[in-house]
Amino acid sequence: DIVMTQTPLSLSVIPGQPASISCKSSQSLLHSDGKTYLYWYLQKPGQPPQLLIYELSKRFSGVPDRFSGSGSGTDFTLKISRVEAEDVGIYYCMQSIHLPLTFGGGTKVEIK
Amino acid sequence: EVQLVESGGGLVKPGGSLRLSCAASGFTFSSYSMNWVRQAPGKGLEWVSSLSGVGTFIYYVDSVKGRFTISRDNAKNSLYLQMNSLSAEDTGVYYCARDKGSGCPDYWGQGTLVTVSS
């Protein structure tokens, strides 16, 4: 199984400041079709996960442009350009290049 | 608007069975693969099973193979998860999630809680 490792475990951010979360996979997520099968989710308190970024860097419908995904191969980053209060929760990366789908352990983002 | 509503969770004794349901609306159900993803209390996300739109392709995580069965009724816009031989390790919130393609769950239901305890 592909292991997804996220850092840091938690992050405390001042509103308006940037934030960055790292995710590393144990195998390359670059497929021969040219797509990178890496996704980012946010789980707000008491809610189900919501898709933010798919296929490495594409923002899902309705996701603000302050969220961006980047990286290649096995190293990936989610960046929030200016954190807002509504961005608190746990962020997960996930891969789908190989079954089973596997998630990172999560990064908890709090507001200072 | 895509809506997914899970039901069927509850308290069950070890070794027992439970059947979860997920009612879908707001999209052409038969055109999408569907997933079950679970979350143990205070823990991260674990993918459980996937089923293609017409039921041709079925996949399970190793820990539930032989115990869980995923199925769907496209006429009823419903997804199911039959869970047998349950153990404490199966305790958690079970989410139904639509697959936008390439194994990516996009829309998720609110989840249903399964508690396995004597």
Side-chain angles (χ1 to χ4, degrees), chain B residues 32-77:
Chain B
Y32 289 84
S33 293
M34 297 294 295
N35 299 279
W36 287 101
V37 179
R38 66 184 178 184
Q39 187 169 35
K43 301 296 185 183
L45 300 166
E46 180 184 34
W47 170 80
V48 173
S49 182
S50 294
L51 177 60
S52 58
V54 294
T56 308
F57 301 105
I58 299 176
Y59 306 101
Y60 300 99
V61 68
D62 282 351
S63 60
V64 308
K65 281 180 184 174
R67 299 188 301 122
F68 289 14
T69 302
I70 190 172
S71 62
R72 64 193 297 160
D73 184 336
N74 288 341
K76 295 183 178 179
N77 289 345

Side-chain angles (χ1 to χ4, degrees), chain A residues 57-109:
Chain A
S57 59
K58 300 172 185 174
R59 272 187 300 277
F60 189 55
S61 175
V63 174
D65 61 7
R66 63 179 181 275
F67 291 93
S68 64
S70 63
S72 62
T74 60
D75 289 353
F76 311 100
T77 302
L78 175 71
K79 292 182 180 175
I80 310 173
S81 59
R82 296 172 305 281
V83 172
E84 297 187 5
E86 65 182 23
D87 300 336
V88 298
I90 302 176
Y91 290 77
Y92 295 95
C93 59
M94 188 206 80
Q95 67 78 26
S96 73
I97 196 169
H98 292 303
L99 289 176
L101 307 183
T102 48
F103 294 85
T107 295
K108 187 174 185 177
V109 172

Side-chain angles (χ1 to χ4, degrees), chain A residues 47-49, chain B residues 3-6 95-97 107-111:
Chain A
Q47 294 188 22
Chain B
Q3 286 199 326
L4 299 166
V5 180
E6 302 92 339
Y95 295 103
C96 162
Y107 291 96
W108 300 55
Q110 290 296 314

